[in-house]
Amino acid sequence: MSKLGSLGARLHRGEISYDFIGKRKIWYGVSILITITAILGLAVRGLNMSIDFQGGAVFTTPTNMSVSVSQAESYAKDASGHEAVVQKLGNGSLRIQVAGLDTAKSDQVKQSLAKDLKLNPEKLAADLVGPSWGQEIANKAWEGLAIFMVLVVIYLAIAFEWRMAIAALVALIHDITITTGIYALVGFEVSPGTIIGLLTILGYSLYDTVVVFDSLKEQTKDLTKQTRFTYSEIANRSINGTLVRSINTTVVALLPVAGLLFIGGGFLGAGDLNDISLSLFVGLAAGAYSSIFIATPLVADLKEREPAMKALTKRVMAKRAQAASGEGLATAGGDVEDAAPAVVGPRNQPSSRGRGRGRQAGKRR
């Protein structure tokens, strides 16, 4: 068995563990700090929406262009009067995006760009994107997100309980906020591919959360009938028992996404594939974190507020205190017994067999 497999087995059996629940305030603080940073990034810098949402024109040059990205940006700005976004694709061509152009203006910019780039205007491909199409995509994305959230809450409330549904919802909102905040802070462009990636990561994040919740549900059956463990301790065992599985799942999911992002993006250039893989990579990492450090500790916090769980905690603590005092008495008794051989007692008297032999010896005399 590999070292990781052996570690997973020991975690599952409870032989070793890390106190995720006991240190939950640390994870809450880290998450709050990251979330505040993401919200500030969204408020100050905003999202860099692609031309698909703003409307405008996209010009694509032939392959193996000798013009640099900065030169193309300068040419596009001079021709249109607007800031341009230029990306170099894997085949050597340039993708020039200029927002806020209508059909007539697009034709003028195309002619001017072709002249600056020393191209035949017919070889410079131009696509016009209307803002209404991008707005429709954004509205559909919000509708899909709202429907997904409602269905998730209903399913988890039925399959598990409402506290787990709330915790999972908080974890999902946490993942989306962090992902969009990173886009705002770094300046990544938000395209329809990004929206697809954001909706996809919700399923991955929910999967890890449900795995832990399922283990927690199984281990907390008839919990109040015993006095060995509190709810928080069982929750911590559930996280540790599924920890290696969650790590393996996340790593296996991140590897192909990283390949698409770093290798595919480097060779093939920017595009929808790169936009999807970028949002997936950030979201998967955030989802794995929230499943372990946010969702389950939050469930434990909510459950420990129940009167039945408060009573269970008191019984467990009382039994442990009683067991500790009993062990102290047993230890003290052991010390007295060890010091007792010098005291005369029944165990130091000769046996009846010994006394009988003495009497028989006296009669013979």
Side-chain angles (χ1 to χ4, degrees):
M1 182 181 294
S2 64
K3 291 183 178 180
L4 186 60
S6 177
L7 176 64
R10 295 178 66 192
L11 286 168
H12 184 74
R13 292 193 298 266
E15 296 176 4
I16 58 173
S17 64
Y18 181 81
D19 192 6
F20 292 99
I21 304 298
K23 298 180 180 179
R24 59 187 178 274
K25 291 184 179 179
I26 297 176
W27 317 130
Y28 291 165
V30 171
S31 296
I32 290 172
L33 180 62
I34 296 175
T35 304
I36 290 175
T37 304
I39 292 174
L40 288 176
L42 288 169
V44 175
R45 299 194 58 177
L47 291 173
N48 179 22
M49 307 302 291
S50 72
I51 197 171
D52 300 287
F53 296 101
Q54 301 181 60
V58 180
F59 304 97
T60 306
T61 67
T63 59
N64 300 321
M65 288 292 298
S66 60
V67 179
S68 66
V69 171
S70 59
Q71 287 177 321
E73 288 177 349
S74 178
Y75 293 154
K77 184 177 180 180
D78 293 339
S80 63
H82 299 276
E83 292 292 336
V85 178
V86 180
Q87 298 169 325
K88 191 161 189 176
L89 305 182
N91 57 6
S93 62
L94 297 176
R95 186 170 182 252
I96 305 170
Q97 302 180 59
V98 184
L101 299 182
D102 54 17
T103 304
K105 185 67 175 177
S106 173
D107 292 336
Q108 296 178 10
V109 173
K110 179 180 177 180
Q111 296 294 328
S112 179
L113 265 178
K115 182 179 179 181
D116 292 333
L117 295 173
K118 299 178 180 180
L119 290 173
N120 185 341
E122 298 297 327
K123 293 184 178 180
L124 184 63
D127 297 314
L128 193 64
V129 180
S132 59
W133 184 77
Q135 187 64 37
E136 184 179 354
I137 291 178
N139 292 337
K140 292 296 182 182
W142 283 113
E143 290 176 8
L145 180 61
I147 293 172
F148 178 83
M149 292 292 191
V150 171
L151 292 178
V152 164
V153 171
I154 293 174
Y155 167 74
L156 292 179
I158 296 174
F160 299 99
E161 58 172 304
W162 66 267
R163 294 169 187 82
M164 292 184 177
I166 291 176
L169 181 62
V170 170
L172 290 176
I173 295 174
H174 169 273
D175 299 341
I176 295 174
T177 304
I178 289 178
T179 306
T180 54
I182 289 177
Y183 266 80
L185 290 171
V186 182
F188 294 146
E189 188 180 66
V190 178
S191 67
T194 305
I195 303 300
I196 295 172
L198 284 174
L199 295 176
T200 304
I201 64 174
L202 300 180
Y204 280 101
S205 175
L206 187 63
Y207 171 78
D208 281 340
T209 303
V210 169
V211 167
V212 182
F213 284 178
D214 186 63
S215 174
L216 181 58
K217 180 182 177 182
E218 291 295 325
Q219 295 190 49
T220 53
K221 286 182 179 179
D222 300 325
L223 181 65
T224 56
K225 295 181 181 180
Q226 55 84 45
T227 54
R228 294 184 60 194
F229 304 105
T230 64
Y231 188 92
S232 292
E233 291 169 345
I234 295 295
N236 197 66
R237 292 182 64 180
S238 298
I239 297 176
N240 281 277
T242 58
L243 180 61
V244 173
R245 177 180 178 179
S246 298
I247 292 175
N248 287 336
T249 303
T250 303
V251 170
V252 169
L254 280 176
L255 285 176
V257 174
L260 289 174
L261 177 60
F262 299 109
I263 299 177
F267 287 103
L268 301 178
D272 290 338
L273 186 63
N274 209 19
D275 297 335
I276 294 174
S277 59
L278 181 61
S279 59
L280 282 176
F281 188 85
V282 176
L284 284 173
Y289 171 84
S290 65
S291 299
I292 297 172
F293 297 99
I294 302 298
T296 308
L298 185 57
V299 170
D301 269 338
L302 294 174
K303 288 292 290 186
E304 290 289 1
R305 298 174 185 272
E306 292 184 359
M309 295 304 162
K310 289 182 179 180
L312 173 63
T313 302
K314 289 182 179 179
R315 293 199 303 271
V316 171
M317 295 299 109
K319 183 176 180 180
R320 290 178 183 175
Q322 182 181 4
S325 61
E327 289 177 1
L329 291 174
T331 303
D335 294 340
V336 171
E337 185 174 336
D338 292 338
V343 179
V344 176
R347 60 185 177 181
N348 294 324
Q349 298 295 327
S351 63
S352 57
R353 183 180 299 178
R355 290 197 299 269
R357 290 177 179 174
R359 286 194 297 269
Q360 292 176 3
K363 290 179 180 179
R364 288 174 183 167
R365 292 192 187 97

